[in-house]
Every structure is written in structure tokens, then in C-alpha cells.
Amino acid sequence: MTVLGWLQIAIVLALVVAAAVPLGAYMARVYAGEPTLLSSLLGPVERGLYRLAGVDPSREQGALAYTLGMLAFNAAGVVLLYAILRLQGLLPYNPLGFAGVSPDLAFNTAVSFVSNTNWQAYGGETTMSLFSQMAGLTVQNFLSAATGIALAVALVRAFARSNAAGVGNFFVDMTRSVLYVLLPLAIVTALIQVGMGVPQTLTPTVTAATLEGAQQTIAMGPVATQMAIKQIGTNGGGFFNVNAAHPFENPTALSNALEIWQMLVVSTALVFAFGRLIGDRRQARALLAAIAVILIAGIAVTYWAESAGTPSLLAAGLDPAGGNMEGKEVRFGVAASSFFAAVTTGLSDGAVNSMHGSFTPIGGLMPMFLIQLGEILPGGNGSGLYGLLVMAIIAVFVAGLMVGRTPEYLGKKIEVTEVKMAILAVLILPAAILGFSAIAAVLPDALAGLGNAGPHGLSEILYAYSSAAGNNGSAFGGLSANSPWWNTTLGIAMLLGRFAYIVPMMAIAGSLAAKTRLSASSGTFPTHGLLFVGLLVGVILILGGLQFFPALALGPIAEQVQMLAGKTF
Amino acid sequence: MSTKSHPGGSSAGGSSAGSSTAGTGSAFASPELIGRAVRDAFVKLNPVALMRNPVIFVTEVVAALVTVLFARDLLAGNPLAFTGQIMAWLWFTVLFANFAEAIAEGRGRAQADSLRKARTDTVAKRLRDPAARGIHERVSALDLKLGDHVLVEAGDLIPGDGEIILGIASVNEAAITGESAPVIRESGGDRSAVTGGTTVISDWLVVRITAAPGSSFLDRMIALVEGAERQKTPNEMALSVLLVGMTLIFLIAVVSLAGLGRYSAADVPVPILVALLVTLIPTTIGGLLSAIGIAGMDRLIRHNVLAMSGRAVEAAGDVDTLLLDKTGTITFGNRMASEIIAVPGINEHEAALIAVQASLADETAEGRSILALAREKYGITPEMAALEGASFVAFSAATRLSGVDVTGRRIRKGAVDAVKRFVHSVDPRASTGIAAFDAAVERIARSGGTPLGLAENGRLLGVIHLKDVVKPDIKERFAELRRMGIRTVMVTGDNPITAAAIASEAGVDDFIAEATPQDKLAYIRTEQRRGRLVAMCGDGTNDAPALAQADVGVAMQSGTQAAREAGNMVDLDSDPTKLIEIVGIGKQLLMTRGALTTFSIANDVAKYFAIIPALFIAAIPELGLLNVMGLHSPQSAILSAVIFNALIIIALIPLALRGVTYRAQEAGAVLARNLAIYGLGGILLPFAGIKLIDIAITAMGLA
């Protein structure tokens, strides 16, 4: 690890916070329905859209109607995207003449982009037409991010309101997320990325003569527009197969910093917006502190492990200062690659600028573990905040009794309904990850896709299901996932991880909204101080992470201790 | 162990827990109690009953599974020692959890037995016509129906709960309250309720029965202390859901190891998977949860408070606002003389002497307090003031004066206007407009006190300042409550000026002056609209709506039937100060539950580090690196974790029954303290515990 490496990390994180504070304030106004800077420009567009769709923006929905609206909207998204992918051969903007996508891959991809996972069992430049990329994938990049934000805003309203029936209007929150937050950010940053060298063109390929005189065909396309929202919307689905390791997706160290900033900024701003919407900004700072503690620890461990390299490479005479460069781009190096890996997994983004499977075992464990913690650091757009609030509910419930009152969070009593639903929600991740992994680990069809034997192979399995169920979408590398077994089960894992979590979470929102918001006193469990930060971190690690320990012990931990003992596979 | 706990610290109310028959809370270690609990622990193995406690039920199921495997090994002649020990400790885990519940229940049962003795199975004198006391028929108390009228005469047990419609009598309620001094019960007003099982000592009553046999107050009390009616409280239910959820999560983690282990060529034998499961699922809190709840109720009962539901006890912990009656809670019941102000020309000492003479025969508390003040402040004893041949004038409502006549001296004290009238009547020319006198009267009234005029013949001598005396330690208790975030509101019939003066002296946060029952009700509703939970106590029928509206309504046992039905708690000592202790008990119950939950979950960290290396070390020897505790062998590691997991339940039973240390502090401080002890301690303690057990069983050659 170097000072310079840490400096890079610190500067980017500081820039994220610096931007997230005003953006959070702006978002709070957007979702409170107050006028903002962009209102005069976008207000007419917004109202036009409501008229077109027949939505009455002043009509509030209860939690159930809100959820049903969201489910219908997302189901329509899956069907539409599935149709686009299957019918790709018949649709326009297909200069390379790609055929329709196979049913299992189309299912997997449609679910993947609608659930904000962006797991890619295909190589973009060799599978998808420009139409599929633009009208199919990029559109869902916006909508899945907006869905997440809308849901989080609904939950926040449930806390903020007292004895309320409604939690907002899904279609309004959705529209505002796209119009006022995602589009402006995507447009501005896409232009910056073009300036940094990311292509934006409808020309599918460019041909270059290599030094040896050979002709090389290099794929291109409307990359910048998809890159911007892929990061802003914590989607992570790349235009190219190797994602942000590709020079056209992520040309320089500076663009790399921008991409990290992009993926963090909306989710972080949403935490600040939460503080304003509930009228207590200290609460937001506490959540952010908990996020920072775990995320920075994750970055540190990854960075440390990658800097340390592996004993066998050192024994082979490699410069120890270089660290483990396998699977990393030279223009990024160990620091920026480790930083990117921890952030993209703590965040449910899933873009990668290096191959996590090539990390040292501990360096690869960290991204996997960050996903398993529930994608709440600060997590996907919206999904991170609501996931974090569910963990906070559990933390308050476990320890809140210790102040001698029945537990309450943000003035709302945490009772049977909330606990039941919170537990249902947090059950999804271990059930999907460990359940599917245990089956895949003994199923020949599944094992056929593995790229490695031994504990590393097990890590590939665990990582794939973690990535899918956590709606992350990053790949460990090594696994050939484009087979019916993997496409289908990973698709199911993605659906469970997204929607089987959302439904109980929204049940909590409905129950909380109807409750009286109690006033705080000096007898109330304080959820804004360092103690609560420590407690929340403890609960996330012990309740959210510890159940994966046995599985991880057989995968990356076994690999690490065996590597140290000089054993290879 | 102490048999009496006062979570509120000092006990201004002087609870009679120690002397009461309902408070037979002997130490939990009495041999019969333990013997009975051990028997019950086995009875409770019945899986149908155990299903109420899902965590322990799961433990029993897997213990049975390991038993089957053990039997299989036995028949196949495989090595048995390890599986046998795992099996034994799994069963111990279940038994220890059952034992914890049984011992908590046992303590209640002892109290129920003593109550049951008071239950009436006597003959009742039923009246055909309540007006005709002469004609009654003798029927069994069990045959009485709602609305029957019975005659109860001196020496009779009252056959059931009821309302007095005729008569006045002194009643011994020791069977219920433990208080042996009889109380007066009479028809009409707030003292008209009688309780079955109590005894009429003098006179007679005609009582209309208001509770059917089997549902009387005494029956409910027995059921409550026995725990027969025990239902899970809302918070307990929520906690159970969490524990079930955690059990499921760990079930997934353990079952998935079957597949993941096979991939790694690290197949784990079922007894070891079971051991991992049982150590990870929250058996500690699962085993102690109901004992904590029962013990909390028990603590209330030993403070002579009956909670009609567990929900009320939890609500007590949540209370934000306490409505306290001034009289008896904040001030002593009576006003007391605090100073004697003489008019100019009269020596203060002389005025005090005359005041004493006026009060020599005055048996009221106010009169006694004048004597006490004179003794303390002026050194005047009644002997010094004794008068030969005096004839005392008793207080009458008509004159509102009392005093003494002796050899031409007519000394009077009483209401200021009455004294002035007296002076005028003796000597029409006497001055009744002395400025200093009026000024003193004015000053006393303004400070919230009551001025009492003092005169001899045609001359005003001075003013006695009678004042409500705030209980000495009450101010600190209110400060304590304030630190815990609880607002105190004084309720009084006094005028606003008097109320404000007492409120500021006692340090309450707010007061309701000239309070009517409607005012109380309105105040409670306003507080609740602001999101606060309110507790109050009351005894009159007109308190009933407010008692029902309050989140915690404590009715006085001495109060009316209506009040007792409206509240969700009954204080058998009829001591309004008890409210503060009730809040403390509620908080302590919740804290204990939270502390042991946190402890139980925090324990998992160490157990993972004990068991995970042991699970896979055969297939992946390098994982021995994770054996941070340096446990002797895989078998000893697993066994140690299982043994620790079982023994910790037994070790924590006293804490579950006694409750965690409770201090009146603000939530932040309480949280910091409890998180350090039960959170951090919960992470660290099992490392040491498991290591010690590992050393011990290795030394004994058990593994």
C-alpha cells in the first residue's frame, strides 16, 4: 500500500461527499414536491408525461398499491426487454446482424437489467445489437435505478409521516427520479466521459492496422451514454465484455476516478436526502458513518491483500512493490483496482475494472463479502438505503430494549410486523446464495461451468450467486455462466434478491406509515451517536455476514491458508 | 440473593412487599423449589408444549435426531463416546432452558398457593330483597350469580367481588393486600368496592355481586401469579419472530454445508452439523425469554402490584409522561404548620405559645403539626402550655374555628375570615384591619399555603402558615425521571397559584390545577396525540375514563370497582407513589430482555471460531490457522462450544430472574453501559469460557 494510493482513494471519497451533500438537499426537495432549479425547465415535461400516462400526481398510494404499481411496471419491463432481445434480429440498428438471443439468456438478461443487477452472461460487443443496447439495456438502466430510489423514498416517507395512509405515488417518484436526478447527472457526466475519450457513435466498429501490419476490427458504439447511467444508476452492465477494464469504457486513471465517483454519488446523496426528509440530519450522518467504517475497511483489506501479492509470485522473483497485478489494468494499478472492486461490490454496482477472480484469495473474498453484507455500503440506488434501514430496524430491535423501552426507530415503534418483515427480507440473501450454491456445488451440470478446481472453484460458485442475489452483477471471472442451469438459477436469484426483498420491505413501510411518530426524549434510544454506529456495524457484520463464514471458510479462506502453505490447484 | 428489589432506588412509597402475603418471594434457591423445577423441566420436554418456544423446540428435534444416530452407532458397534457426549449436552441444553422457565413459574406458584387459601368456599347469605336484611337463604359462594345480593356480617368472609349498596363496615383485606389494618368500606362514593376473600370485622354490609365465581379478582390474581394466563406480550412475540428468523438463517447456513462440504471433500458428520446449528441459534435468549417475562411480573407482584396483562408492564417501560396526584405522592397527605407570624406588638414566642394552647385538644394532623412546629422552633412543649380548668372548643364546620376557653381568655384559631368575625363579635371596636396581619395572609396565600388566623378575645395575634409539605426526596426522584426522559405532571384540585408554588417546589415539569376528571382525560389525550405514552393512577369512579385512556392506568385497590376495571394494573397497597416504581420495573424487564438477546447473538462470534476450523480441519488442515483459541482437538473444540452453550443458560438464570442492574440514567448512558457489558462482553466471554472448558475436558480425557 502506498500513500499515493490512499491519497487517490481519499480524494475521490471526499469529492463524493462534497457532491452528495448538495445533491441530497436537492433530491429531498424533488421528492417533497418542492420547486427546484430545474423545475421551470422540466416541470412542463413532467406534467406532460403524467397527462400522457393518465397519472394524477396528487393522488397518494398506500404501500400495497405502491408496491403493486412497481411490480406491474417492472414486470412490463422484463417482458419488453425479453421481447427486444429475442427479436433483436428483426429490429433496426443491428449493423453487425446479430441473431436473437437464446431464451434462457434473454430471460437472464431481462431480469438482470430490470432488477438493477446487470449480471451479464454474454459479451456485449459480440451479442447485442445497438438497438438492444440503447432501447433495451440503457432504458432499463434508468428505470431500475429510478425504481430503487422511488421505493427508498416511500420507506423514508413512512418513517417521516405520522398516522398516514399513503407513502407517495410510485409513478410520480419514478418520473421525478429519472427526470430530475438521473437524466441530468447522466447527460453531464456522459459529456465529460466523451471528453475523456469514451466513444459515442452509431458506427459499430473501427478497423485499425496493428504494428505487425495486421488488420484489427475494434468494436465501438454509443458507449458514453450507456456508461454514464450504468455508473450513476449503480447498474454496472458494461457495453463491452470486460466492462470498465476496456479502454473505451474507462480510458484513463481520471475516468476511473470519475466512474467511482459516479457510482457512489447518488446512493450517498440519497442518505443525506433521507436525513432532510425525516427532519433529522444527524440520523443520516450516523448511517453514513456506519457505511464508511465497513466500506473503508473493505477497501483497506482488499488493497492490503492485493499489495501483498502472493508468496509463489514473490518466490518467482517478482518485485514485491508491484503487488498482485494479475487481472488488473496497468493504467489503474493495485490501488485504483482494489478501490474500484470494493466500491462496486459495496454498492451493488457490479461494474469491474479488474478481474476479481484473479485477486488474491482474501482480495477476492472482500468484494464477495461486501455483497453478502446486503449491498448497503451505501448500496444500489435506493436499494442501498432501504436495505440499510431494514438493518437499522433489526439493530434497534435487538439492542433497543437495553435502554428499557420497547424498540423504536425514528419515532416509530418496531413491533411484530416490522420484525417479521425485516427478517423475511434478510432471509432472502442467505437462502438464495447458500441454497443455490450448495446445490450447484454437487450438480455436474453446474460444475461444468467452473473455470478452476479446488476452493477457487467454490468461490466462483459463491460469488456468482452472491452477485445475482445481491443484485450486484459483477463476475468473479472463470465461470462460464451462459448455460441453461446458470442462466435460469441466477435469474431466479436476481428476482428473489430484488423483489422478494422489496415486498416485505414495503410491508414495513405500510405498517410504519400508519403509526404515530413518537417524540424523542432523553429516554429514547439514541440512533444518531457513535454508539449506534458501532452497534449497526456490529449487527451488519454479525447478523448480515456471519452466516456466510462457514461457506467462505471452504472457499476463499481455505484458498488463502493453502496458498500461504504453498499449495496450488 | 435479595428477595426484594426496588428498581426505582429509594422507596418513598414504602412498599410493603416484605410484609405481604402476596410477597412470599423467597430466594430462588429453596430446595423444594429446585426439586419441583427439575421435575417440571422433564415434563416440559413434551414437544407439543415446547412448540411455544421455537428455538428450544428446534434444539429438541435435533437432539432427538442425534439420539437416533447414537442408537444406530450403538447397534453397529461404532465408537460412541463423542456422539454420546454431544447428545447428552444437547438434551441438557433443552432441559436447562425448561428448568429456567420452571423455576420462574415455581416462584409464582408458591404465591398462588397462599392466595388460594383465601379463596372463599363459604356459605353466602343471599338476600331475596336487598332492602329486607332479615330474610336470607344460605347458599354456597360458588352458586352466586352476577347481580345477587348478599348480606355480610361481622366475622363473615365476603363471598365474592361486589359493590356495597347498603351499610358501612370495617373490612380486613390482608388476604389480598397483606395489610392487616382494617379499612372502612361503605356504600356510595369511592370506597364501595369489596373483594371476595376479605373479611368483615365489624358491622354489616349488603353487597351486590359484580363478578361471577371463577372470574373474581382473587381468581384473576391467582391465575396471574401462577402464569396460567400468561400470553406472550407484543414485544416478546416480536422477539420470538426474530429468534425464529435467526434460527432459519443458521439452519440454511448449516444445511448448505452438506453440499458445500461435499464439494470440498469435507463431508461433515450429522452430529457435528447439529452441534454447529445448536451453538449458533440463539438458545440462550430462547431458553431464558419466558423466565425473564415471568420474573418481571413476579417483581411487580412483590411490589404488590397486579398487572392485568404483560402488555401493561411493557408499556410501563415506555412511559413518557407520569400523571401524579399531588396529595400522597408529591406532598404528605396533610398540610402542616411551617411558621407562625405574630402581628407587631406581639412576641413571636408568645404567639407560638398561644397557638399551642389553641391546639392542645386538636387531634387533626394540622393541629398536631402546630405542636410539632412549636416544639422544634420555639422549644415549647405541651406541658409548658398546659392550662388549668380549660374547656376546649372543638372545630365545627359552622364556625370554622377551634380553640380553648380558660379564665376569661378565649383563644381561637381558624380560617382568617372566621377569626376576624370572632374578634369582631367579642369586641366590635377591635381593629380587624391590621396591615401586618393582612400582609402575612396575602403572602401565605400567594405562596400556595393556607393562612390560619390566631386570636385571643378581641385581638388578632398572628397568622399560622399551613403549607403542603413536599416529600423530602421527591425532587431528586423527579430529576431522575427527567434524566430518563420522563415528564412528571402534578394533578391537584388546588387553585393555579397554590399548584404553581408546589409544582416549582417539587420540581415537576407541569401541573394541572383545579383538575377535574375531564381535565385529566383531555391532558392524556393531548399527550398521546403528541406521541407520548402516559401513566396515571386513580381510585374514583370518575377516574375510570382517564385510567382506561392512559397507556398505563394503575387503580388503587382501595378504589371503586369501576376504577379497578378501567386500569390495567391494580396497586394492592393503594400507594400512588408506586407509579414510579412500576415504570422502573417495566424498564428493567425490557433491559434484561435486550441485554440477554444482545449477549446471545454476540456469543456466536466465538462459537464460529471454535467450530469452523474443527469442522474442516480434516479436509483442509491449513484451516487450523483459524483456531485462534488453540483448542486441543476438533472433538474437544466442538464439545466445548456445545457445553458452553448449555451451561451459559444455567449461569444466566439468576440474572434473568433478578433483572439487569437498573439505574435511572439517560438512554445514551444506559446503552453505553449495557452494550459494553452484554455486547462486548458477549463477544469476549465465550472465547475465555470455551477455552476453559476445552482445558477441563481435555484434562478429564473426555475428548
Side-chain angles (χ1 to χ4, degrees):
Chain A
M1 290 194 280
T2 62
V3 175
L4 208 64
W6 273 111
L7 207 61
Q8 279 184 51
I9 294 169
I11 289 172
V12 175
L13 290 179
L15 288 174
V16 168
V17 175
V21 172
L23 181 59
Y26 166 78
M27 286 169 76
R29 294 185 70 87
V30 167
Y31 296 107
E34 292 163 19
T36 61
L37 270 178
L38 296 176
S39 294
S40 52
L41 185 68
L42 296 173
V45 183
E46 186 190 351
R47 285 189 290 278
L49 286 172
Y50 296 147
R51 260 197 303 280
L52 211 64
V55 170
D56 174 5
S58 63
R59 229 190 91 235
E60 289 263 322
Q61 292 172 313
L64 182 64
Y66 198 100
T67 313
L68 291 177
M70 181 278 303
L71 285 176
F73 188 82
N74 279 268
V78 171
V79 171
L80 180 71
L81 185 53
Y82 182 83
I84 290 176
L85 296 177
R86 295 284 290 138
L87 302 174
Q88 166 170 278
L90 309 172
L91 293 168
Y93 290 107
N94 189 1
L96 298 179
F98 292 131
V101 177
S102 73
D104 57 306
L105 180 60
F107 162 74
N108 180 287
T109 307
V111 167
S112 171
F113 276 74
V114 170
S115 63
N116 199 258
T117 310
N118 304 49
W119 170 267
Q120 293 167 295
Y122 59 88
E125 65 271 44
T126 54
T127 318
M128 296 297 169
S129 72
L130 298 185
F131 185 83
S132 299
Q133 296 267 27
M134 293 190 296
L137 305 180
T138 306
V139 166
Q140 290 306 326
N141 276 353
F142 277 98
L143 298 183
S144 62
T147 298
I149 298 176
L151 290 164
V153 168
L155 180 60
V156 173
R157 286 198 191 107
F159 275 111
R161 293 178 177 180
S162 197
N163 305 315
V167 293
N169 183 312
F170 172 71
F171 298 101
V172 173
D173 290 337
M174 195 49 221
T175 310
R176 291 205 175 129
S177 300
V178 174
L179 272 185
Y180 289 90
V181 182
L182 298 174
L183 263 179
L185 277 171
I187 290 171
V188 173
T189 54
L191 289 173
I192 298 174
Q193 277 168 314
V194 169
M196 287 175 170
V198 176
Q200 177 71 14
T201 171
L202 290 179
T203 315
T205 56
V206 63
T207 309
T210 63
L211 286 176
E212 294 91 27
Q215 293 287 305
Q216 187 183 6
T217 306
I218 303 171
M220 301 196 306
V223 183
T225 46
Q226 192 175 332
M227 279 321 89
I229 188 59
K230 145 194 159 186
Q231 296 299 81
I232 292 287
T234 61
N235 294 284
F239 193 92
F240 300 105
N241 191 23
V242 294
N243 210 301
H246 195 292
F248 281 174
E249 280 203 30
N250 191 2
T252 63
L254 199 61
S255 74
N256 191 61
L258 174 65
E259 291 205 2
I260 296 176
W261 181 90
Q262 279 175 314
M263 50 179 162
L264 280 166
V265 74
V266 174
S267 291
T268 310
L270 200 53
V271 179
F272 285 113
F274 150 79
R276 286 175 182 269
L277 286 169
I278 58 157
D280 187 352
R281 287 151 73 183
R282 298 171 309 170
Q283 303 288 348
R285 286 198 284 269
L287 292 188
L288 214 63
I291 293 170
V293 167
I294 306 179
L295 187 62
I296 292 174
I299 295 170
V301 172
T302 314
Y303 187 19
W304 164 79
E306 293 313 293
S307 303
T310 66
S312 29
L313 285 177
L314 294 183
L318 236 62
D319 177 9
N324 173 32
M325 276 300 289
E326 186 192 317
K328 296 185 182 64
E329 292 292 303
V330 185
R331 64 184 186 284
F332 305 136
V334 169
S337 299
S338 306
F339 183 24
F340 198 109
V343 169
T344 197
T345 50
L347 247 165
S348 164
D349 183 86
V352 292
N353 74 348
S354 51
M355 298 302 119
H356 298 172
S358 296
F359 281 24
T360 60
I362 294 297
L365 176 146
M366 230 35 238
M368 192 180 335
F369 188 59
L370 289 174
I371 300 175
Q372 290 164 344
L373 288 182
E375 296 293 32
I376 50 179
L377 310 166
N381 281 357
S383 63
L385 180 60
Y386 62 65
L388 196 58
L389 289 173
V390 167
M391 283 318 279
I393 285 174
I394 294 180
V396 161
F397 185 77
V398 168
L401 284 170
M402 281 197 293
V403 304
R405 290 170 68 97
T406 57
E408 61 202 51
Y409 184 52
L410 308 176
K412 295 293 178 94
K413 282 276 173 220
I414 307 302
E415 289 164 309
V416 179
T417 311
E418 290 78 22
V419 174
K420 199 185 292 170
M421 294 301 154
I423 276 291
L424 268 181
V426 298
L427 260 175
I428 299 296
L429 220 49
I433 296 175
L434 295 174
F436 277 124
S437 294
I439 299 170
V442 292
L443 200 73
D445 270 357
L447 294 174
L450 296 191
N452 291 278
H456 199 79
L458 192 65
S459 298
E460 287 173 10
I461 299 175
L462 284 170
Y463 197 102
Y465 286 111
S466 301
S467 179
N471 295 138
N472 182 276
S474 66
F476 203 49
L479 181 71
S480 308
N482 190 8
S483 72
W485 163 265
W486 287 105
N487 277 336
T488 312
T489 54
L490 289 170
I492 295 170
M494 288 186 256
L495 282 175
L496 288 175
R498 180 76 164 182
F499 299 103
Y501 192 102
I502 287 172
V503 172
M505 183 279 293
M506 286 301 288
I508 295 177
S511 166
L512 288 177
K515 291 187 180 183
T516 309
R517 189 167 178 194
L518 306 174
S519 53
S521 72
S522 61
T524 311
F525 184 93
T527 53
H528 51 74
L530 278 180
L531 265 179
F532 180 68
V533 173
L535 173 69
L536 184 57
V537 168
V539 167
I540 292 173
L541 291 178
I542 294 181
L543 280 184
L546 220 50
Q547 68 262 33
F548 297 103
F549 186 38
L552 292 174
L554 286 174
I557 296 176
E559 194 186 352
Q560 177 83 12
V561 292
Q562 290 179 330
M563 178 189 83
L564 294 178
K567 196 165 168 185
T568 53
F569 291 87
Chain B
M1 201 186 106
S2 161
T3 60
K4 195 172 161 186
S5 64
H6 281 286
S10 65
S11 95
S15 132
S16 64
S19 64
S20 116
T21 51
T24 52
S26 56
F28 79 89
S30 97
E32 314 108 80
L33 208 58
I34 290 183
R36 173 84 190 259
V38 169
R39 262 203 316 283
D40 285 350
F42 282 94
V43 174
K44 283 171 184 283
L45 286 176
N46 176 3
V48 179
L50 208 55
M51 268 196 321
R52 268 171 59 91
N53 188 342
V55 181
I56 300 304
F57 177 71
V58 167
T59 312
E60 183 177 43
V61 170
V62 294
L65 176 68
V66 173
T67 309
V68 171
L69 295 174
F70 178 76
R72 195 193 58 186
D73 283 354
L74 193 70
L75 295 175
N78 294 336
L80 293 169
F82 182 64
T83 313
Q85 287 187 70
I86 296 271
M87 176 187 77
W89 283 105
L90 292 177
W91 284 113
F92 279 138
T93 310
V94 179
L95 287 171
F96 290 168
N98 288 349
F99 176 75
E101 187 179 82
I103 206 146
E105 284 171 352
R107 303 209 298 172
R109 196 177 295 119
Q111 286 165 231
D113 287 345
S114 78
L115 283 172
R116 202 171 272 122
K117 289 189 191 120
R119 187 149 64 176
T120 51
D121 191 15
T122 49
V123 174
K125 299 169 181 166
R126 183 158 68 190
L127 298 173
R128 288 270 166 83
D129 175 7
R133 280 191 292 125
I135 315 152
H136 57 75
E137 51 179 344
R138 293 178 167 265
V139 296
S140 161
L142 296 173
D143 293 336
L144 288 174
K145 289 183 210 56
L146 279 177
D148 277 353
H149 292 90
V150 292
L151 172 70
V152 198
E153 292 169 303
D156 291 350
L157 275 172
I158 296 175
D161 293 0
E163 181 98 23
I164 301 170
I165 58 165
L166 265 179
I168 174 167
S170 60
V171 176
N172 183 335
E173 298 190 335
I176 303 288
T177 64
E179 177 58 60
S180 54
V183 294
I184 301 295
R185 296 288 181 186
E186 61 185 317
S187 59
D190 287 349
R191 303 252 179 268
S192 62
V194 287
T195 310
T198 56
T199 314
V200 172
I201 296 185
S202 70
D203 306 287
W204 54 268
L205 297 170
V206 174
V207 174
R208 193 181 68 238
I209 298 296
T210 55
S215 67
S216 71
F217 186 73
L218 201 59
D219 292 314
R220 272 156 75 199
M221 193 158 156
I222 291 168
L224 275 168
V225 297
E226 248 184 349
E229 274 183 11
R230 211 181 106 74
Q231 285 171 334
K232 283 186 180 168
T233 62
N235 176 261
E236 252 181 311
M237 270 192 294
L239 191 52
S240 297
V241 168
L242 179 84
L243 300 182
V244 169
M246 288 179 57
T247 306
L248 276 176
I249 289 178
F250 290 120
L251 204 57
I252 293 168
V254 170
V255 170
S256 69
L257 275 184
L260 300 174
R262 173 146 318 155
Y263 172 92
S264 310
D267 278 319
V268 184
V270 173
I272 296 182
L273 281 182
V274 165
L276 176 64
L277 176 70
V278 169
T279 50
L280 292 183
I281 62 176
T283 47
T284 313
I285 181 65
L288 295 172
L289 186 57
S290 62
I292 295 169
I294 297 167
M297 282 292 231
D298 191 51
R299 265 197 296 283
L300 264 187
I301 291 165
R302 273 186 285 147
H303 277 77
N304 264 2
V305 176
L306 278 189
M308 295 306 159
S309 70
R311 183 189 287 267
V313 188
E314 280 174 8
D318 283 351
V319 161
D320 301 285
T321 305
L322 283 183
L323 256 54
L324 298 167
D325 283 327
K326 182 199 77 175
T327 308
T329 310
I330 296 171
T331 62
F332 290 107
N334 302 292
R335 291 161 183 241
M336 295 203 230
S338 67
E339 60 178 328
I340 296 169
I341 305 155
V343 296
I346 305 282
N347 182 322
E348 194 177 312
H349 193 272
E350 193 185 331
L353 184 70
I354 294 172
V356 170
Q357 288 166 339
S359 309
L360 278 175
D362 186 350
E363 289 298 332
T364 65
E366 293 172 1
R368 299 293 93 193
S369 76
I370 293 173
L371 299 190
L373 175 73
R375 188 181 305 116
E376 277 163 32
K377 199 164 165 192
Y378 306 99
I380 301 169
T381 60
E383 293 72 39
M384 292 161 68
L387 298 165
E388 287 281 324
S391 74
F392 293 103
V393 181
F395 177 85
S396 88
T399 61
R400 290 158 60 220
L401 290 173
S402 65
V404 60
D405 290 344
V406 63
T407 57
R409 294 175 67 197
R410 297 176 68 196
I411 301 171
R412 292 291 183 276
K413 71 173 201 293
V416 170
D417 54 341
V419 169
K420 282 188 174 177
R421 221 176 300 121
F422 167 77
V423 168
H424 189 72
S425 70
V426 174
D427 180 0
R429 289 160 302 133
S431 163
T432 53
I434 301 171
F437 182 90
D438 290 340
V441 166
E442 172 76 17
R443 178 173 66 76
I444 292 167
R446 205 191 303 273
S447 75
T450 306
L452 211 57
L454 182 67
E456 181 176 342
N457 298 338
R459 189 169 170 214
L460 287 171
L461 301 177
V463 190
I464 301 167
H465 185 172
L466 287 182
K467 108 187 230 200
D468 259 326
V469 177
V470 171
K471 289 183 175 175
D473 58 349
I474 204 82
K475 193 163 186 168
E476 287 95 85
R477 299 197 79 186
F478 291 156
E480 230 172 53
L481 289 169
R482 197 169 304 112
R483 274 200 298 282
M484 293 155 61
I486 298 172
R487 295 174 73 242
T488 44
V489 179
M490 181 180 85
V491 180
T492 171
D494 292 342
N495 65 59
I497 296 172
T498 310
I502 298 168
S504 88
E505 188 179 345
V508 293
D509 298 290
D510 196 4
F511 62 87
I512 314 173
E514 290 169 352
T516 62
Q518 289 74 24
D519 291 340
K520 279 199 209 181
L521 188 60
Y523 195 93
I524 293 173
R525 290 207 169 124
T526 314
E527 287 287 290
Q528 287 173 334
R529 253 198 308 280
R530 287 186 197 143
R532 299 200 182 108
L533 274 77
V534 184
M536 69 165 282
C537 54
D539 56 0
T541 298
N542 53 15
D543 281 332
L547 278 171
Q549 178 73 32
D551 300 282
V552 176
V554 182
M556 301 292 111
Q557 160 67 12
S558 62
T560 60
Q561 193 67 24
R564 275 165 30 178
E565 307 243 307
N568 46 18
M569 293 194 193
V570 175
D571 177 19
L572 302 176
D573 297 334
S574 304
D575 168 14
T577 323
K578 207 70 90 50
L579 206 49
I580 300 173
E581 260 138 41
I582 291 171
V583 169
I585 291 170
K587 283 194 178 294
Q588 196 186 22
L589 166 72
L590 295 174
M591 278 182 199
T592 308
R593 204 181 278 160
L596 291 181
T597 306
T598 307
F599 183 83
S600 187
I601 293 172
N603 271 203
D604 277 0
V605 178
K607 293 173 188 165
Y608 268 117
F609 277 97
I611 294 190
I612 295 293
L615 279 185
F616 304 129
I617 206 149
I620 307 166
E622 294 85 356
L623 276 177
L625 213 65
L626 293 182
N627 183 6
V628 290
M629 283 174 266
L631 302 179
H632 176 255
S633 70
Q635 278 85 359
S636 75
I638 291 164
L639 211 49
S640 304
V642 175
I643 294 175
F644 177 85
N645 194 55
L647 290 181
I648 195 74
I649 297 179
I650 286 287
L652 290 175
I653 289 177
L655 182 66
L657 296 185
R658 194 183 58 227
V660 301
T661 313
Y662 166 86
R663 289 199 190 115
Q665 285 173 315
E666 61 168 323
V670 175
L671 180 65
R673 185 189 137 79
N674 285 339
L675 262 185
I677 298 177
Y678 301 101
L680 218 55
I683 291 178
L684 298 177
L685 179 77
F687 279 100
I690 291 173
K691 177 70 186 170
L692 285 176
I693 294 172
D694 181 72
I695 293 171
I697 58 175
T698 308
M700 285 187 269
L702 292 174

